């Protein structure tokens, strides 16, 4: 019996059991995922290093992945790693971000591993926000960029690039050029598909122009997280940048 995992707006159908549904429950791209051992498909691979390599049959929407381990957790990890690049090959943007909905708008937190994206989003849900994404955030474009979900389409209130710096707590607005630069630094890259990289560059640029972007510097002291959450929930921390 086949299983379906929805990851960052992409639904993967596979013939192995796997739990991988994300928070949004949204999907606008359906693909099939197959694992193989032995000889790889006769086409150029995408990605590096080895555990991130996959082969994409674009016409039939089939993704081939090498067997690293038979455990469902490892296969789920592989899918989460390749999903953003697969999506970009089909002109769909994914941010490596945690995000919440506040008053109908999405506040997204982008940054490196360990900076506090998930912790910040979790703290905000305790203050009354609604969780949207813990890791991979699908972004779509109409007249303006938005985050799709099962129940609604949410405009983007702010994209916050998280940084840590001792006792500092501040939010600094970004120009569209600086926002684009930080998206490129924190994005998923080309992985051997120039057309996918060009799409991502164009989409990051469009997002940087259309939506408010800030650098949110937060202190190392986690006891102040509730103070930061209150400032975001009330609008006081980001109010001057909206």
């Amino acid at each position: 019996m086949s299983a379906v995992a929805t990851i960052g707006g992409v639904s993967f159908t596979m013939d192995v059991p796997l739990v991988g549904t994300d928070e949004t429950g949204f999907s606008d791209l359906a693909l099939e995922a197959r694992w193989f051992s032995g000889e790889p498909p006769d086409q150029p691979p995408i990605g590096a290093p080895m555990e991130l390599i996959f082969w994409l049959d674009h016409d039939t929407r089939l993704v081939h992945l090498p067997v690293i381990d038979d455990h469902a957790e490892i296969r789920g990890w592989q899918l989460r790693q390749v999903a953003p690049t697969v999506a970009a090959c089909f002109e769909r943007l994914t941010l490596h971000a945690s995000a919440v909905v506040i008053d109908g708008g999405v506040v997204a937190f982008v940054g490196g591993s360990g900076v506090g994206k998930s912790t910040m989003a979790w703290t905000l849900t305790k203050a009354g926000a609604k969780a949207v994404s813990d890791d991979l955030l699908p972004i779509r474009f109409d007249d303006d960029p938005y985050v799709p979900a099962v129940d609604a389409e949410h405009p983007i209130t702010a994209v916050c690039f998280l940084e840590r710096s001792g006792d500092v707590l501040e939010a600094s607005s970004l120009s569209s050029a600086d926002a684009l630069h930080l998206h490129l630094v924190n994005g998923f890259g080309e992985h051997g598909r120039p057309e996918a990289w060009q799409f991502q560059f164009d989409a990051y640029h469009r997002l940087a122009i259309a939506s408010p972007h800030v650098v949110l510097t937060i202190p190392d002291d986690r006891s102040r997280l509730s103070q930061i959450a209150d400032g975001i929930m009330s609008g006081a921390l980001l109010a001057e940048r909206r």
Side-chain angles (χ1 to χ4, degrees), residues 2 6 19 31 38 40 45 68 89 95 101 103 109 111 146 151 179 190 192 209 211:
S2 63
T6 303
V19 176
L31 299 163
I68 298 174
C89 291
L95 296 187
V101 174
D103 295 331
F109 301 99
Y146 64 91
D151 58 339
E190 137 186 31
I209 291 173
S211 299

Side-chain angles (χ1 to χ4, degrees), residues 60-230:
T60 61
R61 298 190 173 194
L62 175 62
V63 180
H64 300 271
L65 301 107
V67 173
I68 298 174
D69 194 300
D70 285 333
H71 286 89
E73 293 83 359
I74 298 298
R75 295 192 177 194
W77 176 85
Q78 283 183 278
L79 282 184
R80 293 193 71 83
Q81 297 303 305
V82 306
T85 305
V86 171
C89 291
F90 291 91
E91 298 191 347
R92 288 161 173 82
L93 181 65
T94 311
L95 296 187
H96 186 197
S98 297
V100 296
V101 174
I102 301 173
D103 295 331
V106 169
V107 178
F109 301 99
V110 181
S113 297
V115 74
K117 298 188 300 296
S118 297
T119 302
M120 192 72 258
W122 178 83
T123 303
L124 282 162
T125 62
K126 295 299 182 182
K130 176 184 176 183
V132 177
S133 170
D134 184 54
D135 186 40
L136 298 177
L137 181 68
I139 303 288
R140 301 295 181 260
F141 295 88
D142 195 352
D143 292 332
D144 293 309
Y146 64 91
V147 173
V150 171
D151 58 339
E153 296 176 355
H154 302 289
I156 301 171
T157 301
V159 177
C160 302
F161 293 98
L162 284 185
E163 294 183 354
R164 284 192 178 183
S165 182
D167 294 330
V168 176
L169 170 57
E170 64 180 12
S172 304
S173 60
L174 289 167
S175 67
S176 58
D178 288 338
L180 171 60
H181 172 72
L182 287 178
H183 275 303
L184 295 174
V185 169
N186 289 277
F188 293 101
E190 137 186 31
H191 291 282
R193 280 284 177 109
E195 66 275 18
W197 168 242
Q198 183 63 54
F199 162 76
Q200 288 182 103
F201 182 92
D202 293 342
Y204 289 143
H205 184 245
R206 188 174 176 184
L207 177 61
I209 291 173
S211 299
H213 285 66
V214 303
V215 172
L216 180 59
T217 304
I218 59 176
D220 293 329
D221 183 1
R222 293 203 170 195
S223 68
R224 297 180 64 187
L225 282 175
S226 59
Q227 172 194 356
I228 301 169
D230 289 344

